[in-house]
Amino acid sequence: MGILEKIAEIEREISRTQKNKATEYHLGLLKAKLAKYRAQLLEPSKSAGAKGEGFDVMKSGDARVALIGFPSVGKSTFLSLMTSTESEAASYEFTTLTCIPGVIQYKGANIQLLDLPGIIEGAAQGKGRGRQVIAVARTADVVIMMLDATKGDVQRELLEKELESVGIRLNCPKPNIYFKPKKGGGLSYNSMVPLTQCSEKLVQLILHEYKIFNAEVLFREDSTPDEFIDVIVGNRVYMPCLYVYNKVDQISIEEVDRLAHRPNSVVISCGMKLNLDYLLEQLWEDLALICIYTKKRGGKLFIWSSIYSNLRRGASVEHVCHRIHRTLASQFKYALVWGTSTKYSPQRVGLTHIMEHEDVIQIVKK
């Protein structure tokens, strides 16, 4: 029996097993086996095949955004509207057959936008170049899931299932579980909160499925067996996702209102160029980028030397120093900062001061 048949058999058994207290250990074991088989499926083939054209493109700019969606939902049109790159768009499916990059210039930042080929159901098993598309999506900072507003929620559910099966977790935090394999000593199991979905016996069964008999496990939050399996596997990617519903000019205003009020969702129309500016604002929020301006000593405040826009929200003065030059932090004496992060302008700060968007900094060396 091949891996695909084993995965299908386990999925059928999970679907027909009633979820209750008596079957939670059996379901946890099945989920562990399913995750293990899916990981084997994603491993590259050992047999050397013919070398083909590369699919991924070099990462550039301050952030990377991947466009994922079914064929003919408007990904290529969206790329052509938002960037200076022209991507071929047509009324038939699979117009785009490879990865096409473009650059969005917004608030001083260069955001790389990747137009990926449309994926189909079963992409996680390799159908329609699905593995290559999903592999590129794993390297992105944010995923834009382009959906056809006229198709309802069917496309969204199918795409979420495909990405979930290959270890991409959308809009959810990383599980707060400490896990460390050991060479001996058995299983050390502890929890800082009452657990309602996991128990020591279930944790032990899941670890035995992965041939792990000695480990330290500490639950800092009430987690599910699926989240614990993600921690064991260790190759999961947690990233924000923006659900973009295109072609809203073809549906009723009530349906537009319903879609627009869903979390992490934006409604647009590429054909009529509607709501694209709001989409850029939401994308900027999800990327959590900030722009920092540097000022020369003795120069005027409104004349800046450089703009550093690939810093993330929560960056400190030390991060700015490392961004300018790797040796600057060791020669740092103090910095003067103008902007919303200070109580008054200019304020003399140290390396641990947290910068905010559009702050101006002047660094003084020893």
Side-chain angles (χ1 to χ4, degrees):
M1 188 184 289
I3 295 177
L4 286 173
E5 288 80 9
K6 290 179 181 177
I7 289 173
E9 186 182 345
I10 292 172
E11 285 177 340
R12 282 196 297 271
E13 189 170 351
I14 289 174
S15 63
R16 66 172 175 257
T17 303
Q18 189 177 359
K19 191 176 181 182
N20 53 45
K21 195 73 177 175
T23 60
E24 64 178 9
Y25 300 118
H26 179 60
L27 283 171
L29 205 59
L30 287 175
K31 288 175 180 177
K33 287 181 179 177
L34 187 62
K36 194 167 70 173
Y37 286 136
R38 281 175 174 167
Q40 290 176 12
L41 192 66
L42 292 174
E43 288 175 2
S45 176
K46 291 182 180 178
S47 59
K51 291 186 178 180
E53 186 185 350
F55 192 83
D56 196 7
V57 296
M58 185 180 291
K59 196 168 184 177
S60 65
D62 303 313
R64 171 180 273 198
V65 177
L67 271 174
I68 284 185
F70 281 95
S72 294
V73 293
K75 298 187 298 296
S76 299
T77 308
F78 178 75
L79 180 82
S80 301
L81 283 173
M82 305 303 289
T83 70
S84 57
T85 305
E86 287 295 327
S87 182
E88 185 182 353
S91 57
Y92 54 87
E93 295 185 347
F94 296 105
T95 315
T96 305
L97 298 175
T98 186
C99 180
I100 299 174
V103 177
I104 301 173
Q105 294 181 337
Y106 187 69
K107 292 187 178 180
N110 292 324
I111 302 168
Q112 187 183 42
L113 184 66
L114 300 181
D115 179 19
L116 299 174
I119 64 176
I120 57 176
E121 191 175 357
Q125 282 78 42
K127 291 182 181 177
R129 298 197 79 177
R131 286 189 194 175
Q132 293 98 316
V133 172
I134 292 170
V136 175
R138 287 175 70 96
T139 67
D141 299 302
V142 171
V143 167
I144 290 181
M145 192 180 288
M146 190 71 75
L147 305 164
D148 191 337
T150 61
K151 301 289 179 64
D153 297 327
V154 179
Q155 290 187 343
R156 177 170 173 168
E157 290 168 4
L158 287 171
L159 285 171
E160 283 178 339
K161 184 182 176 184
E162 292 296 327
L163 296 178
E164 181 90 12
S165 65
V166 294
I168 297 177
R169 304 290 179 256
L170 303 175
N171 297 325
C172 63
K174 195 174 182 180
N176 197 358
I177 303 171
Y178 174 77
F179 170 72
K180 183 181 179 183
K182 299 188 297 184
K183 291 184 179 179
L187 175 65
S188 173
Y189 171 86
N190 287 293
S191 63
M192 298 173 68
V193 294
L195 298 180
T196 60
Q197 302 172 80
C198 279
S199 64
E200 186 173 359
K201 183 182 175 183
L202 180 58
V203 167
Q204 200 167 14
L205 282 170
I206 292 172
L207 288 173
H208 286 183
E209 182 62 33
Y210 284 92
K211 305 292 189 292
I212 299 172
F213 303 99
N214 306 292
E216 286 182 34
V217 179
L218 173 62
F219 284 83
R220 297 192 180 99
E221 62 182 10
D222 188 14
S223 302
T224 63
D226 292 320
E227 290 173 336
F228 180 60
I229 291 167
D230 288 348
V231 172
I232 296 172
V233 175
N235 64 349
R236 305 307 192 218
V237 179
Y238 300 85
M239 62 173 65
C241 175
L242 204 56
Y243 301 98
V244 178
Y245 291 90
N246 190 21
K247 305 179 184 178
V248 293
D249 52 307
Q250 300 176 20
I251 59 175
S252 65
I253 192 68
E254 291 81 14
E255 183 68 8
V256 172
D257 188 60
R258 185 187 73 84
L259 294 174
H261 281 85
R262 299 191 68 176
N264 306 303
S265 299
V266 180
V267 291
I268 66 165
S269 172
C270 290
M272 299 182 69
K273 300 181 182 179
L274 295 175
N275 214 26
L276 296 177
D277 51 348
Y278 178 69
L279 171 57
L280 275 178
E281 289 176 18
Q282 289 298 112
L283 182 60
W284 180 264
E285 284 296 316
D286 285 348
L287 287 170
L289 288 171
I290 58 172
C291 290
I292 304 296
Y293 303 99
T294 57
K295 174 184 170 294
K296 285 184 179 179
R297 195 169 184 177
K300 293 182 180 179
L301 184 60
F302 54 84
I303 299 176
W304 307 303
S305 303
S306 304
I307 304 173
Y308 296 95
S309 53
N310 62 345
L311 294 162
R312 301 285 168 166
R313 199 177 297 136
S316 64
V317 173
E318 188 174 5
H319 290 110
V320 178
C321 291
H322 286 302
R323 176 67 183 85
I324 297 169
H325 197 273
R326 63 180 182 274
T327 62
L328 187 56
S330 60
Q331 301 170 359
F332 178 87
K333 186 176 182 182
Y334 67 89
L336 296 174
V337 176
W338 292 259
T340 54
S341 67
T342 59
K343 294 178 181 177
Y344 48 88
S345 295
Q347 182 177 337
R348 181 168 167 165
V349 298
L351 284 171
T352 56
H353 177 76
I354 303 298
M355 305 292 289
E356 290 186 6
H357 182 52
E358 293 188 338
D359 277 358
V360 181
I361 185 170
Q362 176 186 313
I363 297 171
V364 179
K365 296 195 291 185
K366 293 176 182 176

